[in-house]
Amino acid sequence: MEIRPILASLHKHRIPALLIVLEIALACAVLCNAVFVIAQCVTDSRSLNAIDEQDISVIHIGGLDAQHGEDSVVRDLAALRAIAGVKAVAAINALPLGPDASFNGFTTKPNDESQVNTSQYLITRGAEKVLGMKLLQGRFFSDEEYARGGLLPTHQPDSHVVLINESDAKRLWPGQSALGQQIYSDGTPWTVIGVVANVLAQDPGFSGVSGKYSSAFFPLKPSADLSHYILRSAPEDRDRVLRDAMQMLGKLEPGAVLEPKTYVDIRTDYFASSRTMAWMLAMVCVVMLAVTALGIVGLTSFWVGQRRRQIGIRRAVGASCANILHYFQTENFLLSTAGVVLGIVFAIAINIYLMRYFELARMPWYYLGGGAVALWLLGQLSVLWPALRAAAVPPVVATRSI
């Protein structure tokens, strides 16, 4: 197929050709980034979390008397522990993916500045059993450490011992053991006594990529600062246990505000916006590709009408139907290639903008390749019908006006 006549024809109709190129470029740029964001949303919603999510129920409690908070929490936990089907009970200040986030910045030297939003979990005795935390190195907190755990005036734990996530251990002390090492915040030291499998941050969206699995656990004795009761039971007993626990707490704490949830619901609620965004972007991609396809069909059909004389002359001098078909397919391939090259440049620029202002990860190259192939295929499929119409025009009809 001769390229020169096609380029000459495109130059003659350069304004419509330029519009098609820009339309394909815009579609390619948006498609690559939209698919990448959708993949990120799906990946985030399936993030691993090293706790037994199916077994956990949560009751948020508010309005406890601060002066008698310790006695109230001790009494409530004892009552919850006595409910049939409850395997373990504890109190905690916040949960992974929960609405009440508590962050702190920790460093390995007293005067360093932390750049990571680390989730700070304050837990009472038995919380590691309720959550099903996986100990990788060291040990969990002792009963004595739980009993002595309190808060400093700065609301930081005064226990001086801490459990950290596996990802933090590798990030803070690469190639070394984290056990016995110290982390600092505002000059206060804590000694690492154990490393656990990665528990998600309380708000991964706020923590960013580096803080998604950055979590630190501190022992705390029962206190009004702990606003969540967590219960472990078999999944088939979970709903009944939650109802019984609500009735129990309603009698023990008549003035408190109680909000029950299963942990499965907490996770579902947290990623609801991500799922909605993924569906919206998917719809945008479908509409945009449909508009692009219709644009190619419309312009090619217009050109076929404009070139009936040219087609007739080519058919009269011996061009076959396949030659006419290949002509329009080659022309579309050239336009699509120009649009795809420009679109990849736009896609990279958009990704850089999203990385800078929305902490999105760098888009892998295969999203660009996939977008380019998709636009090439879309162009060939869109041009097929008008090209077949052109190829089917008999020479005697096409040259009737000559």
Side-chain angles (χ1 to χ4, degrees):
M1 176 64 66
E2 284 284 340
I3 302 297
R4 190 174 301 171
I6 298 176
L7 294 177
S9 177
L10 290 177
H11 183 265
K12 185 178 179 181
H13 302 87
R14 53 186 176 276
I15 299 299
L18 180 61
L19 291 177
I20 284 294
V21 168
L22 291 176
E23 187 176 11
I24 293 174
L26 180 63
C28 182
V30 174
L31 179 67
C32 292
N33 281 280
V35 172
F36 178 57
V37 172
I38 291 172
Q40 290 291 299
C41 290
V42 173
T43 301
D44 288 344
S45 66
R46 296 178 178 176
S47 296
L48 297 177
N49 191 13
I51 60 175
D52 295 332
E53 298 182 350
Q54 297 292 329
D55 296 347
I56 301 171
S57 302
V58 183
I59 297 177
H60 176 269
I61 183 167
L64 286 179
D65 184 354
Q67 290 186 342
H68 305 92
E70 180 175 350
D71 295 338
S72 296
V73 173
V74 171
R75 180 187 60 204
D76 294 345
L77 291 178
L80 294 174
R81 197 173 291 114
I83 294 175
V86 173
K87 298 179 180 178
V89 175
I92 193 170
N93 66 322
L95 286 156
L97 309 180
D100 303 317
S102 173
F103 297 108
N104 205 343
F106 298 99
T107 63
T108 56
K109 296 179 181 178
N111 299 321
D112 279 358
E113 294 183 2
S114 174
Q115 300 296 321
V116 176
N117 291 314
T118 300
S119 294
Q120 180 172 276
Y121 293 97
L122 308 175
I123 58 177
T124 64
R125 183 170 62 89
E128 65 274 10
K129 183 178 180 182
V130 179
L131 296 174
M133 295 167 62
K134 281 77 175 178
L135 184 67
L136 302 179
Q137 299 177 43
R139 62 174 177 84
F140 286 122
F141 302 120
S142 65
D143 289 346
E144 183 182 359
E145 288 165 340
Y146 276 119
R148 292 189 307 181
L151 291 177
L152 297 168
T154 57
H155 291 283
Q156 291 181 327
D158 66 0
S159 56
H160 301 296
V161 289
V162 63
L163 298 173
I164 62 173
N165 265 356
E166 179 184 11
S167 61
D168 280 332
K170 293 178 179 177
R171 176 177 61 86
L172 296 173
W173 299 282
Q176 304 178 46
S177 173
L179 297 181
Q181 305 277 9
Q182 289 192 317
I183 59 174
Y184 299 84
S185 177
D186 295 332
T188 304
W190 292 272
T191 301
V192 178
I193 63 166
V195 178
V196 297
N198 285 333
V199 176
L200 273 173
Q202 294 161 8
D203 186 356
F206 179 82
S207 300
V209 177
S210 56
K212 180 178 179 180
Y213 285 113
S214 184
S215 302
F217 301 83
F218 300 90
L220 196 71
K221 60 186 177 184
S223 162
D225 293 305
L226 301 171
S227 56
H228 296 80
Y229 294 144
I230 48 178
L231 303 90
R232 183 184 181 92
S233 62
E236 59 271 22
D237 296 332
R238 196 178 51 202
D239 293 339
R240 179 188 57 78
V241 164
L242 200 52
R243 286 196 302 272
D244 292 348
M246 285 296 292
Q247 292 178 0
M248 182 74 71
L249 290 176
K251 296 176 183 177
L252 294 174
E253 307 292 348
V257 178
L258 304 173
E259 183 182 358
K261 270 190 175 180
T262 64
Y263 190 81
V264 173
D265 290 337
I266 290 177
R267 183 183 183 105
T268 300
D269 291 346
Y270 184 86
F271 289 113
S273 59
S274 295
R275 290 194 300 274
T276 302
M277 178 183 292
W279 278 111
M280 288 181 62
L281 288 174
M283 292 299 297
V284 168
C285 289
V286 171
V287 171
M288 183 189 58
L289 291 176
V291 170
T292 303
L294 290 174
I296 295 174
V297 170
L299 184 63
T300 308
S301 298
F302 173 75
W303 280 349
V304 168
Q306 291 285 309
R307 300 176 189 174
R308 289 177 66 84
R309 181 177 178 180
Q310 177 187 347
I311 295 170
I313 294 173
R314 288 175 59 85
R315 294 295 308 276
V317 297
S320 63
C321 293
N323 294 138
I324 301 300
L325 181 64
H326 291 162
Y327 175 90
F328 283 100
Q329 287 182 316
T330 303
E331 182 182 74
N332 178 268
F333 181 78
L334 294 175
L335 291 174
S336 298
T337 301
V340 163
V341 171
L342 192 59
I344 287 176
V345 175
F346 289 165
I348 293 173
I350 292 174
N351 181 240
I352 292 174
Y353 176 83
L354 294 176
M355 288 170 58
R356 178 172 299 177
Y357 294 103
F358 295 96
E359 295 190 356
L360 197 70
R362 183 183 299 279
M363 181 167 55
W365 64 268
Y366 46 82
Y367 283 93
L368 300 174
V373 172
L375 267 298
W376 270 317
L377 291 176
L378 180 70
Q380 291 298 302
L381 291 175
S382 301
V383 81
L384 188 59
W385 177 69
L388 287 173
R389 282 184 54 207
V393 175
V396 65
V397 175
T399 57
R400 188 169 294 163
S401 60
I402 298 176

